[in-house]
Amino acid sequence: MLRSLVGSEMCIRDRYQRRVRGVPSIAMPVQGFAEFHHPPSVVATIAVLGMSLHYLLPLRVSRASLQRRTPLAMATMAMGLLVMYLAFTEFGQHGEHPSHVRETQGVVTTGIFSICRSPFYVAFLLGLAGLAVLLDSWWSWLGTLALFGWLHLLVVPAEERFMTASFGSEWQQYMGTVPRWGLFLSLIHIS
């Protein structure tokens, strides 16, 4: 039985675990850090680094008070939590889990996955964007943009190649109908 994961977010970790266990990978080789990521750790590192730089060398985006920024920041973070909750819930309804050590039976294409191929990453980006608004920090925005660039240019394309190799036409059809980053970024043609 093919060992893989549901959703593009988990594929690289699965491939890394296979290599560690000595199981050959069917995925195309990927060079560099994109191959060995653990998204929650990367997000936490970027958040802590952004906060640290902000307090060591504050570079403010605006002059808005904390009271004015807080509602937008909380709404953005809440949206990220909602997207994460919907993704986990959808996995659970299909008997799946985003763990890199569990086998999966197919591709989840319903619920939040019917409008976004990478909802876990969108949730992470929304969380970091909310933090950037709350801190009013160029450092946090820079970290958020760096995470997006790394995901968009290195991680997700590698994961999508893996999913195409694992699920073939089912994954290709899904890629053709559902935008990578959801509705907003598909409107500006980033997919």
Side-chain angles (χ1 to χ4, degrees), residues 176-190:
T177 57
V178 177
R180 178 184 289 171
W181 298 108
L183 298 176
F184 175 73
L185 290 177
S186 67
L187 294 175
I188 57 172
H189 305 293
I190 297 177

Side-chain angles (χ1 to χ4, degrees), residues 58-74:
L59 294 175
R60 299 215 177 274
V61 175
S62 71
R63 298 290 174 218
S65 69
L66 180 61
Q67 285 182 318
R68 298 188 100 184
R69 294 188 317 265
T70 299
L72 177 59
M74 293 298 119

Side-chain angles (χ1 to χ4, degrees), residues 5-162:
L5 295 167
V6 177
S8 64
E9 288 94 353
M10 309 307 161
C11 299
I12 301 301
R13 284 182 283 157
D14 181 55
R15 187 171 71 211
Y16 175 72
Q17 290 296 323
R18 288 178 187 203
R19 187 174 305 127
V20 169
R21 291 187 201 121
V23 177
S25 173
I26 63 168
M28 297 171 65
V30 178
Q31 302 298 319
F33 184 59
E35 188 170 4
F36 301 105
H37 78 287
H38 182 254
S41 299
V42 173
V43 171
T45 301
I46 289 172
V48 169
L49 186 61
M51 287 186 289
S52 299
L53 288 170
H54 173 71
Y55 288 108
L56 292 173
L57 182 64
L59 294 175
R60 299 215 177 274
V61 175
S62 71
R63 298 290 174 218
S65 69
L66 180 61
Q67 285 182 318
R68 298 188 100 184
R69 294 188 317 265
T70 299
L72 177 59
M74 293 298 119
T76 305
M77 288 185 216
M79 178 82 81
L81 287 173
L82 176 63
V83 170
M84 184 72 70
Y85 171 79
L86 292 172
F88 272 112
T89 301
E90 198 61 33
F91 269 15
Q93 289 176 353
H94 290 273
E96 303 290 353
H97 190 277
S99 171
H100 62 281
V101 295
R102 295 188 185 181
E103 291 187 22
T104 189
Q105 302 303 314
V107 179
V108 176
T109 60
T110 56
I112 190 80
F113 291 93
S114 68
I115 59 172
C116 176
R117 291 195 313 260
S118 300
F120 290 107
Y121 292 159
V122 169
F124 291 149
L125 289 165
L126 285 169
L128 284 178
L131 180 64
V133 169
L134 185 65
L135 294 175
D136 190 27
S137 170
W138 279 111
W139 296 114
S140 292
W141 279 114
L142 183 63
T144 303
L145 290 174
L147 178 67
F148 176 76
W150 176 63
L151 293 171
H152 186 70
L153 298 173
L154 297 174
V155 175
V156 176
E159 292 174 348
E160 289 178 346
R161 285 191 302 271
F162 179 84

